[in-house]
Amino acid sequence: QVQLQESGPGLVKPSQTLSLTCTVPGGSIRSGNYYWTWIRQPAGKGLEWIGLIYTSGSIDYNPSLRSRVTMSVDRSNNQFSLKLSSVTAADTAVYYCARLSAFNGSFDSWGQGTLVTVSA
Amino acid sequence: EIVLTQSPGTLSLSPGERATLSCRASQSVFSTYLAWYQHKPGQAPRLLIYGASIRATGIPDRFSGSGSETDFTLTISRLEPEDFAVYYCQQFGNSPMYSFGLGTKLEIK
């Protein structure tokens, strides 16, 4: 297991784009054993999977967010990123990045989470 | 879409007692793809169990998972003070590919 670290603005205006980056220690972002994912949790609600990206750049997104989500990977800097466009107050949440095992579908390493508030 | 229903919503127990948490799926889930997590406020969630019954690295053996198809259970044999937290089950399968239950809050009685 590794400790991931999210970074990005904590406040985003409505209709703008939320942008977050996750830094992965060591070189494991290049490993074929894992996918790299984003998960969010609005206050008082459950965890929602947003999407995943593989080291090759292949992606899959939650259908409920697909039209607004873009994920990318930067292997040279051991980072992957999330962009969520046209945000509203409903996108206010703690955003986590997490490592997903390609073998058993479990999230075995997580970041501490970062609160993103959508407000004017 | 597979919906995971966790019960009870809140469980009040004392240290040393046994905790039994339930996760029920609206459709059959491959056991390989059922996991449990522990989440404490302000911390990263921690993987406890994957494959329905396999403890993750470093997880004490007082944690155990069982079940198949639509009914899964997380058992904590003897509660330690550090075990009081929120617990989530999670599955990989139908769209959305990864989904979580709403959690069981385990609180000190």
Side-chain angles (χ1 to χ4, degrees), chain A residues 13-29:
Chain A
K13 289 182 167 50
S15 80
Q16 293 191 342
T17 296
L18 177 160
S19 296
L20 295 173
T21 296
C22 182
T23 301
V24 180
S28 63
I29 201 165

Side-chain angles (χ1 to χ4, degrees), chain B residues 12-45:
Chain B
S12 299
L13 294 170
S14 301
E17 292 192 291
R18 181 185 186 91
T20 302
L21 287 66
S22 172
C23 176
R24 183 158 293 175
S26 58
Q27 303 172 42
S28 186
V29 173
F30 289 117
S31 295
T32 303
Y33 301 126
L34 193 289
W36 290 91
Y37 302 84
Q38 178 190 69
H39 193 192
K40 298 180 180 178
Q43 296 186 19

Side-chain angles (χ1 to χ4, degrees), chain A residues 28-47:
Chain A
S28 63
I29 201 165
R30 301 180 191 84
S31 170
N33 294 330
Y34 305 106
Y35 297 96
W36 305 96
T37 76
W38 290 95
I39 294 163
R40 69 180 183 178
Q41 185 173 34
K45 296 188 178 181
L47 294 160

Side-chain angles (χ1 to χ4, degrees), chain A residues 74-110:
Chain A
D74 179 353
R75 287 178 292 278
S76 61
N77 286 311
N78 296 317
Q79 294 178 330
F80 64 103
S81 298
L82 168 71
K83 292 187 187 297
L84 182 66
S85 64
S86 305
V87 296
T88 69
D91 295 309
T92 295
V94 176
Y95 286 75
Y96 297 95
C97 58
R99 188 177 79 174
L100 171 66
S101 167
F103 302 112
N104 58 49
S106 68
F107 302 93
D108 68 359
S109 298
W110 296 66

Side-chain angles (χ1 to χ4, degrees), chain A residues 40-48 96 110, chain B residues 4 6 21-23 34-41 43-49 74 85-91 99-106:
Chain A
R40 69 180 183 178
Q41 185 173 34
K45 296 188 178 181
L47 294 160
E48 179 181 35
Y96 297 95
W110 296 66
Chain B
L4 300 178
Q6 292 189 241
L21 287 66
S22 172
C23 176
L34 193 289
W36 290 91
Y37 302 84
Q38 178 190 69
H39 193 192
K40 298 180 180 178
Q43 296 186 19
R46 179 170 73 146
L47 174 65
L48 299 174
I49 301 285
L74 174 70
V86 179
Y87 291 84
Y88 295 98
C89 58
Q90 171 253 320
Q91 67 88 31
S99 60
F100 296 83
L102 292 180
T104 290
K105 181 180 181 181
L106 180 56

